[in-house]
Amino acid sequence: FDTRQKKQLRPNKPAPREKWLRRVTFDLTGLPPTLREIDEFLADTSDRAFAKVVDRLMKSDACAERLTSEWLDVARYSDSYGYQRDDERFVWPWRDWVIKAFRQNMPFDQFVTEQLAGDLLPNATREQILATTFNRLHSHKKEGGVALEEFRIENVADRTETVGTAFMGMTLVCTRCHDHKFDPLTMKDYYSLSSFFANVDERGLI
């Protein structure tokens, strides 16, 4: 506040309504507003005009898809395996599960639980099992001569580090090799978390 006074800084004037609508529509849906939406907003002089726009956008399929696109990046989603010929893999039903979750405004604790352990829930539904695809979105090896244990461990590490990034908002990869210098995380913390995935009975191949 003192700096603002010394430099005689003043807030910018409010953006024109058309510009505000364009910004909020791009931010929530990734798409520009239509001419009809612009006209309707400019004609609405009520106190809730801005709130109604946000409510409308948040309920749209485009908003669910926009939010999903961010989550796909965090979850390392891809339509191919990532090694060698980079063959196609069909995990788009999980992508649709995420879109549906955002569209229905699924509670965050349910969103987390079903993706990490939906198959372990009592009487798990097909949808809850599908949600756990989140754990298998890392690159997969299918070469015959691969060292199985090496790639099994790489899969475990990928899942561990993705959980740290996606659900804890923390970088865990450093603690795979040493205690973290700037955060209260240790190698013991890393391998304690990784044990949840290390105990999955699987090989390092597809």
Side-chain angles (χ1 to χ4, degrees), residues 45-110:
T45 58
S46 68
D47 293 338
R48 295 200 72 257
F50 291 85
K52 284 192 287 187
V53 167
V54 174
D55 288 343
R56 172 179 60 79
L57 294 173
M58 291 288 285
K59 292 177 182 177
S60 68
D61 288 345
C63 183
E65 292 167 1
R66 172 78 173 89
L67 294 169
T68 295
S69 70
E70 300 282 349
W71 189 248
L72 297 188
D73 287 342
V74 173
R76 73 269 194 249
Y77 176 87
S78 70
D79 290 314
S80 60
Y81 283 111
Y83 287 113
Q84 288 176 287
R85 296 177 302 176
D86 205 21
D87 290 344
E88 290 181 305
R89 65 176 175 186
F90 302 101
V91 289
W92 54 264
W94 173 82
R95 176 205 63 199
D96 290 351
W97 180 91
V98 178
I99 293 173
K100 182 179 178 182
F102 280 119
R103 186 182 295 129
Q104 296 177 344
N105 198 24
M106 178 183 286
F108 186 67
D109 59 344
Q110 181 182 350

